[in-house]
Amino acid sequence: MTQVLGFLATNPLLALVLIMAVGLALGKVRIFGLSLGAAAVLFVAIALSTANPEITVPPLLFQMGLAMFVYAIGLSAGERFFAEFKDRGWKLNLFLILLLMALVALAWGLVTIFHLKHTTGAGMFAGALSSTPGMAAIVSMVRGTTPELAAEPVIGYSLAYPGGVLGAILVAAIGAKVFKVDHRADARKEGLLPGPLLTQGIRIRPGLSGTLGELSQLTGVQIIATRIVKDEKHHELAEPSDPIRPGEVIVINGTRENIDCASEILGEQVDVEIDGTDLLYQRFTVSSSAVAGHAIKDLNTTSRGFLISRLRRGDSDVVPSQDAVLNYSDRVLVVAPEHMMDRIRGFLGDSERRLAEVDLLSFALGLTLGLLVGAIPIPLPGGNVLNLGFGGGPIVVGLILGALQRSGPIQWQLPYHANRTISTLGLVLFLAGVGTTAGAGFRSALTDPESLKFIAVGFIITVASALVCGLAGRWILHLTWDESMGVAAGMTTNPAIISYLNGQTGTELATRGYATVYPSAMIGKIIACQVLLILLT
């Protein structure tokens, strides 16, 4: 065994791939209905490097992994992040700031009560909240002292980091069982997992006015008119500019709940035969660079002879608004005459091969901007300087570019599957690399009882943070449990935790909470770690 460990220490690439393979395999194992997912890679890396601390992964690799992961998260969450900030995002970020202040006070009290070394205790606080930039900021504050003192924050960080991951995961798993969380029902209630979409004929009641494009505003629910029924065999496209005509029969698309709500306002439901008419439904995949990144209203589809009645992104099928922006790999259901279908296919692209040829130039440009933003020095009182680093800069830029969608000819968004693949690869690279940095600290903890204090205190801070997020999220902020745990994961800014949550829930609720608070948490923890060290010294 010693020879195998020595061989891996001299072959870091082989060690990296082995850690990834074993970790991903163990992550699929379910115990009591739970699995770690990609987070298992972290624990495999810690175990292997504890057995031989010389097994390491070059920092450049896991730094790149983290940058790729958070940038991809930012791209996918950017549009929703800015759309929701004015309604609920500011509340979550204010809550996060108050929680950070409370955690600093808790850490100061625990370090004082247990008579822990101040510099090691500050590093432990960074590890408990999984803040690598925070730990680096502490190291920069004590730089210029003895080498032993400068190493203490790193030791504290490495001791608390694994518990910082495991504690949050345990709170999420146990809380889901205690509160009997129905992940899919919660996501459906929040509009992130809509029910099946149906078509329904409606005979417009007298007294209504406006246009067919205003039906959602008129009824208060998301529906879309797709057809105007002339007779059993002849239907016309329902253009958004067409007026609402009392007595006319239209066909609308929506969930059963939305259709029933809309019919109470619009008129009676009637049976309409769709098959055999002169309009067809057909699915196409968006792969054209001329379409991706544009809102449906800007594409003026009715002038091209078709309407988009449904939009499928990932596993969610929704009725799109005219403001909805189409992305690469979106599957759209169009309504059009049969003879127009080939022309529509050419316009939208509908090419799997084109989607496989991912534009890595835009990805590289965006990631470069993110890393440059992360390198910008931000002066603090007392002569200290912080920066967002390779984790904070890319997600901030990713959120902005994800909301912009495109800049002139540059399409920032990635195809759905490419985004998921890149983010997962980046995640496991980061987990494998950062896990190997904790081995030496864990090895010493096995022989030094004092180290167990740092592990225990760090675990308490982690659990307290996750519990407050979960309970306050449910009872004060009125969030679902999954989104509350997404906020807890965002507080830690730890990819392993959000990866676990996404794997367990199978919805986007946790990601919504994670992306909403991640940028503020990244910056806030850097400041909090430095404030704690100042308070302790």
Side-chain angles (χ1 to χ4, degrees), residues 451-474:
S451 297
L452 298 178
K453 290 184 181 180
F454 290 101
I455 295 174
V457 171
F459 189 77
I460 291 171
I461 294 171
T462 296
V463 171
S465 173
L467 275 176
V468 171
C469 285
L471 300 180
R474 279 178 64 91

Side-chain angles (χ1 to χ4, degrees), residues 499-533:
S499 172
Y500 165 80
L501 292 172
N502 287 341
Q504 279 307 118
T505 64
T507 74
E508 297 292 325
L509 270 175
T511 296
R512 184 167 75 172
Y514 182 82
T516 300
V517 301
Y518 188 109
S520 298
M522 178 69 70
I523 300 169
K525 288 191 299 182
I526 294 171
I527 298 172
C529 288
Q530 296 177 87
V531 168
L532 176 61
L533 183 60

Side-chain angles (χ1 to χ4, degrees), residues 191-198 222 253-255 283 308-320 330-333:
L192 297 182
L193 195 66
L197 296 182
L198 309 171
Q222 188 59 42
N253 273 21
T255 63
R283 286 273 189 186
I308 295 176
S309 62
R310 302 182 187 181
L311 187 156
R312 186 173 183 85
R313 183 173 297 159
D315 292 333
S316 297
D317 212 9
V318 299
V319 172
D330 284 349
R331 295 273 292 166
V332 294
L333 184 68

Side-chain angles (χ1 to χ4, degrees), residues 47-127:
L48 200 60
S49 62
T50 299
N52 184 356
E54 293 182 3
I55 297 176
T56 59
V57 173
L60 180 64
L61 276 179
F62 65 81
Q63 290 171 3
M64 181 62 178
L66 177 59
M68 289 166 55
F69 173 78
V70 297
Y71 178 68
I73 285 283
L75 284 180
S76 62
E79 184 179 12
R80 188 184 303 139
F81 173 82
F82 288 104
E84 295 180 346
F85 190 86
K86 61 182 179 180
D87 295 326
R88 54 194 296 283
W90 69 269
K91 298 177 184 178
L92 295 183
N93 282 279
L94 177 60
F95 164 75
L96 179 138
I97 293 170
L98 295 174
L99 177 57
L100 270 175
M101 294 169 62
L103 290 174
V104 169
L106 174 63
W108 178 86
L110 291 174
V111 170
T112 303
I113 290 171
F114 287 97
H115 305 290
L116 303 178
K117 290 182 180 180
H118 294 168
T119 48
T120 310
M124 170 210 66
F125 178 71

Side-chain angles (χ1 to χ4, degrees), residues 193-260:
L193 195 66
L197 296 182
L198 309 171
T199 59
Q200 178 65 56
I202 299 286
R203 188 181 304 279
I204 302 297
R205 71 170 76 249
L208 296 181
S209 62
T211 66
L212 295 182
E214 298 169 344
L215 289 183
S216 290
Q217 294 93 315
L218 180 64
T219 61
V221 294
Q222 188 59 42
I223 57 171
I224 185 173
T226 59
R227 300 167 180 246
I228 300 173
V229 178
K230 296 302 182 181
D231 56 48
E232 290 185 357
K233 295 295 183 181
H234 299 288
H235 295 178
E236 292 181 357
L237 284 178
E239 298 193 22
S241 59
D242 286 340
I244 297 174
R245 300 184 180 93
E248 192 169 59
V249 175
I250 63 173
V251 176
I252 63 174
N253 273 21
T255 63
R256 170 49 59 192
E257 180 181 5
N258 286 357
I259 287 174
D260 290 342

